[in-house]
């Protein structure tokens, strides 16, 4: 198998699972008042001893302090070619040793540094991998392996964050736009872009990138999952239901497929069927889907009222005449009120113009805030965390009432 083919396998099998599972609630959408989401060491030098102890192979099979590398045993091949062969065989320590030698012999070889980065990444040496990819791309900003390795590191391997997803997306989109890219590389760049766009709440773009992958590989389960997730976020519920149903037997995505089918059936009021899917998702992946601290409707209304009463005086004054209500789930009309639609997992919503703008007279009251019981409960791990999330979501929606957009709210820690 070619090294790019193996990297594709590395991407499309277990290593393609994001380090953290998708949040129960999606990040806020600009201008619509949705809720808040729930949700360096130096690189090792080539060794000088043949007798350096061998380390286990494979991601995670390493110690925090890497021993000196063994001498590159290239078998008569160029060190970079040997590194690629070792990587194909998942012998990552030997791959690193030969890539390090190749980089030492040719310090300006972008591919040698990219190969070092991929071996370091596979060994879990993230800071060193970041430096190796940075050097590769400083030498050649269009290095295919440098772009692919960096994109995979930031979007797939590291825990998801807005900045990491944005950075990884820049790398993957640059690779995807590069003319003459081999089809298997196009597939890998498009898949990483689909993941990053979904994580960033840009479902239309995620759907388009998933379509690129599926045009090349119709049975690519990773792309099928990203497509299903994008359809759900775009409120194309019938299509999302069919897409998630096709993934129920998939060992990597079955739990998330059950969870999303539960969310879809819940929206239809089919509570018993929805709960069966939630229970199955928890059975398959208890860490991703722990039991939510679901209060009764009366308890939730009381918690919301208490949160309003605890607001600073200036905030309470701004809320005068603005009802704050508790609902089970976002209504379709609210989700589809703008373009793109709001996520079905928003935690709260501010309706109407900000205080600085006049009401148009078509709505009574013209401004309101709503918090969603089921989405909020799934965004919290304990009853105490739920109360914190209610408070934070309320602050977020009052921010929209005052005219702040999502960028301003994120800067204040209310993303």
């Amino acid at each position: 198998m070619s090294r790019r083919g193996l990297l594709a396998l590395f991407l499309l099998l277990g290593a393609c699972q994001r380090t953290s599972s998708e949040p129960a609630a999606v990040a806020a959408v600009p201008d619509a008042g949705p809720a808040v989401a729930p949700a360096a060491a130096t690189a090792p030098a080539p060794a000088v001893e043949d007798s350096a102890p061998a380390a286990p192979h494979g991601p995670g099979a390493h110690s925090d302090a890497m021993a000196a590398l063994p001498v590159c045993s290239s078998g008569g091949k160029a060190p970079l070619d040997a590194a690629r062969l070792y990587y194909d065989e998942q012998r990552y320590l030997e791959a690193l040793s030969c890539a390090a030698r190749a980089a030492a012999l040719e310090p300006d070889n972008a591919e040698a540094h990219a190969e070092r980065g991929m071996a370091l990444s596979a060994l879990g040496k993230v800071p060193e991998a970041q430096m190796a990819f940075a050097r590769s791309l400083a030498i050649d900003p269009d290095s295919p392996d440098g772009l692919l390795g960096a994109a995979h590191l930031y979007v797939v391997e590291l825990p998801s964050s807005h900045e990491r997803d944005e950075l990884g997306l820049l790398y993957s989109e640059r690779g995807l736009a590069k003319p003459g890219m081999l089809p298997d590389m196009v597939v890998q760049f498009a898949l990483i872009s689909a993941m990053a766009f979904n994580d960033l709440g840009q479902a239309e773009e995620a759907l388009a990138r998933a379509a690129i992958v599926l045009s090349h590989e119709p049975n690519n389960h990773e792309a099928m999952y990203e497509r299903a997730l994008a359809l759900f976020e775009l409120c194309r519920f019938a299509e999302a239901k069919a897409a998630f149903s096709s993934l129920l037997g998939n060992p990597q995505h079955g739990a998330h497929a059950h969870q999303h089918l539960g969310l879809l059936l819940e929206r239809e009021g089919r509570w018993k069927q929805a709960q069966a899917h939630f229970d199955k998702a928890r059975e398959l992946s208890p860490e991703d889907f722990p039991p939510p601290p679901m209060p009764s409707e009366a308890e939730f209304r009381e918690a919301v009222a208490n949160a309003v009463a605890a607001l600073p005086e200036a905030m309470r004054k701004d809320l005068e005449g603005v009802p704050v209500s508790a609902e089970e789930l976002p209504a379709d009309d609210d989700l589809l009120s703008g373009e793109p639609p709001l996520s079905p997992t928003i935690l709260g919503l501010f309706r109407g113009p900000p205080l600085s703008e006049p009401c148009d007279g078509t709505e009574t009251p013209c401004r309101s805030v709503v918090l969603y019981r089921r989405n909020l409960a799934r965004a919290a791990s304990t009853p105490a965390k739920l109360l914190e999330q209610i408070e934070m979501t309320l602050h977020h929606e009052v921010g929209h009432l005052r005219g702040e957009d999502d960028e301003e709210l994120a800067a204040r820690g209310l993303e």
Side-chain angles (χ1 to χ4, degrees):
M1 181 184 294
S2 70
R3 63 176 300 281
R4 287 191 175 89
L6 187 76
L7 185 55
L9 188 65
F10 183 66
L11 280 163
L12 300 177
L13 294 180
C16 200
Q17 300 305 303
R18 291 169 236 210
T19 303
S20 61
S21 63
E22 69 206 281
V26 176
V29 179
D31 300 323
V36 185
T42 57
V48 295
E49 296 183 16
D50 286 317
S51 58
H57 302 303
H62 60 278
S63 62
D64 288 337
M66 184 181 289
L69 292 172
V71 170
C72 169
S73 178
S74 63
K77 300 178 180 66
L80 183 54
D81 291 337
R84 288 169 169 167
L85 286 173
Y86 282 131
Y87 190 94
D88 281 0
E89 296 170 359
Q90 301 182 50
R91 297 169 63 180
Y92 300 122
L93 189 62
E94 289 96 327
L96 177 58
S97 177
C98 289
R101 179 167 174 77
L105 292 172
E106 297 183 76
D108 292 331
N109 187 327
E111 300 309 304
H113 292 290
E115 198 68 36
R116 282 186 62 246
M118 286 187 281
L120 287 162
S121 180
L123 290 164
K125 296 295 179 180
V126 171
E128 296 95 325
Q130 290 172 308
M131 289 297 294
F133 289 132
R135 187 164 180 179
S136 172
L137 295 171
I139 295 167
D140 178 6
D142 291 322
S143 163
D145 288 338
L147 290 170
L148 184 59
H152 184 271
L153 178 67
Y154 285 104
V155 174
V156 180
E157 295 183 57
L158 290 172
S160 180
S161 74
H162 193 86
E163 286 189 325
R164 287 171 180 155
D165 287 324
E166 285 188 327
L167 180 56
L169 181 62
L170 288 173
Y171 291 134
S172 61
E173 287 292 285
R174 185 188 298 171
L176 193 58
K178 186 175 172 61
M181 191 68 67
L182 295 173
D184 64 329
M185 295 286 276
V186 169
V187 164
Q188 294 170 70
F189 281 122
L191 179 56
I192 293 175
S193 285
M195 291 178 172
F197 275 128
N198 265 332
D199 284 349
L200 292 167
Q202 299 178 48
E204 286 279 9
E205 292 83 355
L207 192 63
R209 300 308 182 273
I212 293 174
V213 179
L214 293 170
S215 70
H216 290 274
E217 300 178 5
N219 296 318
N220 186 309
H221 287 149
E222 295 296 332
M224 290 168 66
Y225 174 73
E226 296 302 326
R227 175 179 178 273
L229 188 59
L231 289 169
F232 176 79
E233 293 298 318
L234 290 168
C235 301
R236 292 164 60 174
F237 296 133
E239 294 171 88
K241 184 184 290 188
F244 281 119
S245 295
S246 71
L247 292 166
L248 287 177
N250 183 271
Q252 293 166 351
H253 297 300
H256 286 80
H258 277 288
Q259 182 72 9
H260 278 86
L261 284 171
L263 296 174
L264 289 162
L265 289 165
E266 186 180 59
R267 293 193 59 79
E268 298 174 7
R270 298 165 66 182
W271 310 108
K272 185 176 180 179
Q273 296 96 321
Q275 191 59 51
H277 282 287
F278 292 142
D279 291 343
K280 186 62 176 179
R282 188 167 304 119
E283 175 189 332
L284 292 172
S285 187
E287 292 186 1
D288 286 333
F289 303 110
M294 190 73 70
S296 68
E297 294 182 44
E299 290 169 337
F300 183 68
R301 287 195 298 271
E302 181 181 2
V304 171
N306 290 340
V308 172
L311 288 172
E313 182 179 354
M315 283 185 145
R316 293 200 308 275
K317 182 175 178 59
D318 286 340
L319 276 173
E320 288 180 1
V322 179
V324 179
S325 62
E327 296 181 10
E328 290 294 279
L329 293 166
D332 286 356
D333 287 348
D334 282 329
L335 295 180
L336 300 172
S337 61
E339 187 61 40
L342 300 181
S343 167
T345 56
I346 56 172
L347 307 184
L349 180 67
F350 167 65
R351 304 184 184 108
L355 291 172
S356 59
E357 298 177 12
C359 292
D360 59 15
T362 61
E363 296 284 342
T364 305
C366 98
R367 301 180 182 91
S368 62
V369 171
V370 58
L371 275 66
Y372 301 110
R373 180 174 77 102
R374 291 179 177 271
N375 287 350
L376 275 159
R378 276 189 285 265
S381 56
T382 66
K385 292 290 185 182
L386 173 58
L387 295 179
E388 292 176 7
Q389 191 65 70
I390 290 171
E391 178 184 356
M392 183 175 292
T393 303
L394 187 57
H395 277 252
H396 181 99
E397 305 312 336
V398 172
H400 282 305
L401 169 68
R402 290 173 161 181
E404 291 182 89
D405 62 21
D406 286 297
E407 287 72 23
E408 293 173 293
L409 292 169
R412 295 203 293 116
L414 293 171
E415 187 175 2

